C-alpha cells in the first residue's frame, strides 16, 4: 500500500524488545514511508564510547556519522547498556534531536521508533503507538536474538539487564520512557508477530484512509 494522502509522522515508542521495531518497519513498508530506529543513534554513540574509551558522549553525538556504522556493531548487550546510559545525558539527547526531527519531516512521510518519539521528538505526530510486553517475555525474546547472533549469555543476565535498563529509562530526568497521553497501547506479551501486525495495520489503515 502506497499512501496517497498528505504526509504523516507516525511515532512508535516502547521499552527494549517489546516489538516496536518490527511494528514500525511494517508500517513504513505498508505506507511507503521512511523509517528510523532512533535507538540506533544512541547505540552508535555507545559504540564509539567503547571503541575510543571516551568520556565525552556529547562530542561524539554532535559529530555522529550514521553511515559509518554496521548493524553488527550495534547489537551486543554491552552496547545496549552503554546506549541506555548515554541516552540519559540531556546534552546527548539535545544533540541528536535535530537529526530526528529533520528525518521526521521527510516526504512522503516517516515512521520513527524509540522511547520518546511521541512525547518529545514528535509530540504532534499524527499517529502514536506505545508497544510494550512483560519483562519476562522481553527478556526471552532478547535472549533468543542474542543466541541467534552467536552470543553466549544467560537468560537471567538478560532479564536483569532489561529490568535495570527499564528502571533507568523510566526514571531519567530528561525524556523518560512513557506513553504519550494520546498513544495507542499495544501489549505484545501474548501475541505473535502476525497478530500484532494485523491489529496495528487495521488502526493505521483507518487513519490514512
Amino acid at each position: 500500500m502506497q499512501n496517497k494522502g498528505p504526509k504523516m509522522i507516525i511515532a512508535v515508542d516502547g521499552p527494549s524488545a517489546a516489538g516496536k521495531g518490527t511494528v514500525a518497519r511494517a508500517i513504513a513498508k505498508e505506507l511507503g514511508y521512511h523509517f528510523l530506529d532512533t535507538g540506533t543513534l544512541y547505540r552508535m554513540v555507545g559504540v564509539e564510547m567503547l571503541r575510543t574509551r571516551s568520556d565525552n558522549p556529547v562530542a561524539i553525538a554532535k559529530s555522529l556519522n550514521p553511515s559509518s556504522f554496521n548493524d553488527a556493531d550495534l547489537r551486543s548487550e554491552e552496547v545496549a547498556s552503554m546506549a541506555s546510559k548515554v541516552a540519559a545525558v540531556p546534552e546527548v539527547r539535545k544533540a541528536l534531536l535535530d537529526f530526528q526531527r529533520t528525518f521526521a519531516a521527510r516526504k512522503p512521510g516517516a515512521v520513527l521508533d524509540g522511547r520518546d518519539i511521541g512525547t518529545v521528538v514528535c509530540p504532534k505526530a499524527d499517529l502514536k503507538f506505545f508497544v510494550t510486553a512483560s519483562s519476562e517475555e522481553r527478556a526471552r525474546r532478547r535472549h533468543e536474538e542474542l543466541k541467534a547472533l552467536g552470543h553466549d549469555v544467560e537468560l537471567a543476565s538478560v532479564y536483569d539487564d532489561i529490568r535495570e535498563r527499564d528502571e533507568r529509562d523510566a526514571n531519567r530526568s530528561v525524556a523518560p520512557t512513557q506513553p504519550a497521553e494520546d498513544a495507542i497501547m499495544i501489549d505484545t506479551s501474548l501475541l505473535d508477530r502476525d497478530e500484532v501486525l494485523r491489529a496495528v495495520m487495521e488502526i493505521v489503515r483507518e487513519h490514512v484512509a
Side-chain angles (χ1 to χ4, degrees), residues 24 34-41 99-101 103-104 110-114 117:
H34 300 286
F35 166 72
L36 177 64
D37 172 2
T38 63
T40 61
L41 300 176
F99 181 95
Q100 295 172 72
R101 286 179 171 168
F103 186 96
V111 182
L112 289 79
D113 91 55
I117 307 304

